[in-house]
Amino acid sequence: MTKIAVAKGDGIGPEIMDAVLSVFQAAQVPLEYEFVDMGKWVFDKGFSNGMTSEAQQTIENLGILFKGPMETPKGKGVKSINVTARKTWNTYANKRVFQTLHGVDTVFSKAGIPIDVTIVRENIEDTYGGVEHMITPDVALSRRFITRPGSMQVIKYAFEMASKKGARRITCGHKANIMKLTDGLFLECFYEVAKNYPDLKADDVIVDDLCMKLVTRPDTFDVVVLTNLQGDIVSDLCAGLVGGLGFAPSANVGDHISIFEAVHGTAPDIAGKGIANPTALLLSGFSLLQHVGLYDKANMIENALLYTLESGVHTGDFGDRNKPSLNTTEFANAIIANFGKKPEHNPKPDMTDHAVSCTVFNLSKNAMMESDSTITEKINGVDLFIESNLQPQEIADKCLRHAGVKFKLVNISNRGTQVWPTGSKFTNLVNQYNARFESIDDHALNQQDVIGLYVSLSGDFRVCSLELLNTFGDKKAYSLAQGQ
């Protein structure tokens, strides 16, 4: 008997979780549940991360969390419990499977275009690091973290998952044409991993083009892997292709802990009315059952769900309006009544269960993920972000006085666009500039040189932030300004 942690969630969470667990119980799924305290009501009791310490310890001991939707209190300066959980336990791969469900009408099902797309979203990094600063009263800065080890983790997972499911194609969605270093690193990792899977067709698509193609020919895609923010947006787009978030499951997979949840929110407007659709959470439950080796149970229940949907049974948020809708409990009972039946379309095969118990890891320290640490590092210069409402030439005149014998002023940009030594009077400015200084004659600099320049320049400007201009090996590790 495998024991898992269960958090019912907020809003409609308890209703749909009870419905799903009733289906599992009727199917005699060999799981034991330990209920944990997480969600908005835990925030309200003073727990800033939305979970009690006992809940965190239980989840870390058991390795699996099955959770309902959870709300983060607004205006209290706290982080999303959903994002916090994924990041705390390094569930680096978010897998969302979007399939045509017969009985759930969409423009594609009516046109006879089948959809079977799996989105794998990096789950830890990107702008979801939530590292933001107001560097002037008019300028907000968000730091976007894309790391080689983090990218390799999720991309290796995506390729391995695609290979096991017999996928024909795996696609990297990206914006490397604009974000050449961050998305460029992700894309570089994608093709590095692709070399180990010669039987899989691996290609890449710029994310805006990907979105257009998904809403015109979704049947041409199989597995798509993306960075965090882009993956979040694209996965919700895919939910719209198959009927909405009510049919969007989610598995957050890590090396030690995995979280299974529906994508949709807490729907407070219908909470307590007993009319919520439990399908998304049930679909997420199938991923959980497969994760612990209960393949036959997962397929048997999924066949019953698919048969139920094909029969026209529905909750109030979808289906034939000429047929009465069922409430949450009635819908679960209808699925239970169809155990043993198989749908006409895409029935799941009978399989043998290989139930496994999750290993409890007693970690003594945090894992350090690091790539090749032997690469030669060199400081070529520094970007100094300064606050000023002066014109570009006035900024340059002051900066040139501080360059000294080690630095040369290369360019000045505003919102990423060069405004000195060349630029246009038609470029609108904000009160934050980036002054780029590089070393004279390409001599290596050290941090003390940079600090000296910082101190000198601070005599004329308020320095908001700085970034070193590094070279790793023979590659410059910084971008150019627009127009540079």
Side-chain angles (χ1 to χ4, degrees):
M1 182 79 72
T2 300
K3 193 172 187 179
I4 67 170
V6 176
K8 292 189 175 183
D10 303 311
I12 61 171
E15 301 163 57
I16 60 174
M17 182 61 78
D18 286 345
V20 170
L21 295 184
S22 73
V23 173
F24 284 4
Q25 182 179 8
Q28 298 182 337
V29 172
L31 291 178
E32 185 179 348
Y33 311 115
E34 184 158 341
F35 295 93
V36 295
D37 296 333
M38 297 177 67
K40 181 180 181 298
W41 66 275
V42 181
F43 276 118
D44 292 341
K45 286 189 172 183
F47 294 88
S48 61
N49 63 351
M51 71 181 89
T52 63
S53 56
E54 292 81 7
Q56 178 170 343
Q57 188 61 55
T58 295
I59 294 162
E60 292 178 358
N61 286 342
L62 298 179
I64 294 180
L65 172 63
F66 192 26
K67 67 180 283 290
M70 293 181 183
E71 178 184 348
T72 300
K74 297 178 178 63
K76 296 187 178 181
V78 294
K79 300 280 190 178
S80 162
I81 177 60
N82 304 300
V83 176
T84 297
R86 297 167 199 160
K87 289 169 66 64
T88 297
W89 295 312
N90 202 52
T91 60
Y92 51 80
N94 177 237
K95 182 182 79 168
R96 300 183 183 181
V97 180
F98 303 97
Q99 295 177 313
T100 297
L101 297 171
H102 295 274
V104 182
D105 288 338
T106 68
V107 292
F108 296 101
S109 66
K110 291 177 181 178
I113 299 174
I115 296 174
D116 186 359
V117 179
T118 301
I119 301 294
V120 179
R121 163 192 172 195
E122 195 285 319
N123 220 16
I124 306 297
E125 304 179 344
D126 203 351
T127 52
Y128 282 70
V131 181
E132 299 182 309
H133 299 87
M134 292 294 298
I135 56 176
T136 82
D138 288 344
V139 180
L141 173 69
S142 175
R143 290 181 180 264
R144 183 174 195 247
F145 295 96
I146 302 293
T147 71
R148 183 179 300 278
S151 298
M152 292 297 283
Q153 270 190 326
V154 68
I155 291 168
K156 285 179 179 178
Y157 168 82
F159 270 90
E160 190 62 22
M161 182 273 299
S163 179
K164 287 180 179 178
K165 78 184 285 284
R168 64 190 186 281
R169 177 188 183 191
I170 182 167
T171 303
C172 179
H174 64 89
K175 197 67 177 173
N177 57 323
I178 302 297
M179 294 176 281
K180 299 181 185 298
L181 295 184
T182 50
D183 272 33
L185 175 58
F186 192 80
L187 184 59
E188 178 185 315
C189 291
F190 175 81
Y191 281 115
E192 185 177 333
V193 175
K195 295 175 184 177
N196 299 319
Y197 296 85
D199 295 335
L200 269 175
K201 178 186 177 184
D203 56 15
D204 67 276
V205 182
I206 295 173
V207 69
D208 40 340
D209 187 30
L210 171 65
C211 290
M212 182 191 71
K213 287 177 171 148
L214 279 168
V215 298
T216 53
R217 288 299 307 274
D219 54 317
T220 62
F221 291 94
D222 198 342
V223 175
V224 184
V225 60
L226 305 102
T227 56
N228 203 336
L229 179 59
Q230 294 168 15
D232 193 6
I233 295 167
V234 170
S235 59
D236 273 20
L237 181 152
C238 289
L241 304 179
V242 297
L245 292 178
F247 305 96
S250 177
N252 303 284
V253 180
D255 291 334
H256 303 130
I257 297 172
S258 294
I259 304 169
F260 300 87
E261 60 184 342
V263 175
H264 61 70
T266 58
D269 55 323
I270 62 169
K273 297 181 180 180
I275 60 173
N277 180 359
T279 302
L281 188 61
L282 184 58
L283 290 169
S284 303
F286 299 153
S287 292
L288 188 161
L289 297 182
Q290 293 164 355
H291 183 76
V292 297
L294 298 174
Y295 305 107
D296 195 51
K297 292 293 186 184
N299 286 2
M300 185 272 285
I301 301 171
E302 187 168 2
N303 278 331
L305 169 65
L306 297 176
Y307 182 91
T308 302
L309 294 173
E310 277 189 357
S311 302
V313 175
H314 64 95
T315 51
D317 58 319
F318 75 100
D320 187 348
R321 302 300 177 187
N322 295 316
K323 293 184 178 180
S325 61
L326 302 186
N327 64 31
T328 309
T329 301
E330 291 169 340
F331 188 75
N333 289 337
I335 296 169
I336 293 169
N338 288 323
F339 282 172
K341 298 176 182 177
K342 292 190 176 182
E344 179 182 350
H345 300 90
N346 302 320
K348 304 301 175 182
D350 295 330
M351 298 181 70
T352 302
D353 286 340
H354 298 284
V356 296
S357 296
C358 295
T359 303
V360 177
F361 292 88
N362 295 311
L363 303 180
S364 60
K365 60 182 180 180
N366 297 89
M368 175 59 67
M369 303 190 303
E370 187 176 17
S371 298
D372 186 359
S373 60
T374 64
I375 294 176
T376 303
E377 300 182 12
K378 174 186 170 186
I379 299 175
N380 292 343
V382 62
D383 280 343
L384 289 165
F385 298 86
I386 58 177
E387 179 179 356
S388 179
N389 58 10
L390 297 176
Q391 288 293 301
Q393 187 59 53
E394 297 175 275
I395 299 285
D397 290 342
K398 289 178 179 290
C399 286
L400 287 167
R401 294 203 298 265
H402 298 282
V405 297
K406 292 189 175 182
F407 292 93
K408 59 185 176 183
L409 180 65
V410 176
N411 81 294
I412 299 172
S413 61
N414 193 290
R415 291 192 293 176
T417 301
Q418 179 170 283
V419 293
W420 184 92
T422 61
S424 170
K425 292 296 188 292
F426 290 91
T427 302
N428 287 352
L429 307 175
V430 297
N431 63 351
Q432 186 262 308
Y433 289 88
N434 174 20
R436 173 165 289 183
F437 293 86
E438 292 184 0
S439 65
I440 294 175
D441 298 328
D442 201 33
H443 289 309
L445 300 166
N446 57 46
Q447 293 187 84
Q448 286 73 26
D449 297 327
V450 171
I451 292 169
L453 177 61
Y454 180 107
V455 171
S456 179
L457 197 66
S458 66
D460 276 329
F461 298 106
R462 177 178 173 269
V463 181
C464 309
S465 179
L466 69 83
E467 289 291 346
L468 299 178
L469 304 181
N470 295 307
T471 297
F472 299 129
D474 59 354
K475 293 175 64 174
K476 287 187 176 180
Y478 48 93
S479 61
L480 300 179
Q482 296 290 337
Q484 185 177 355

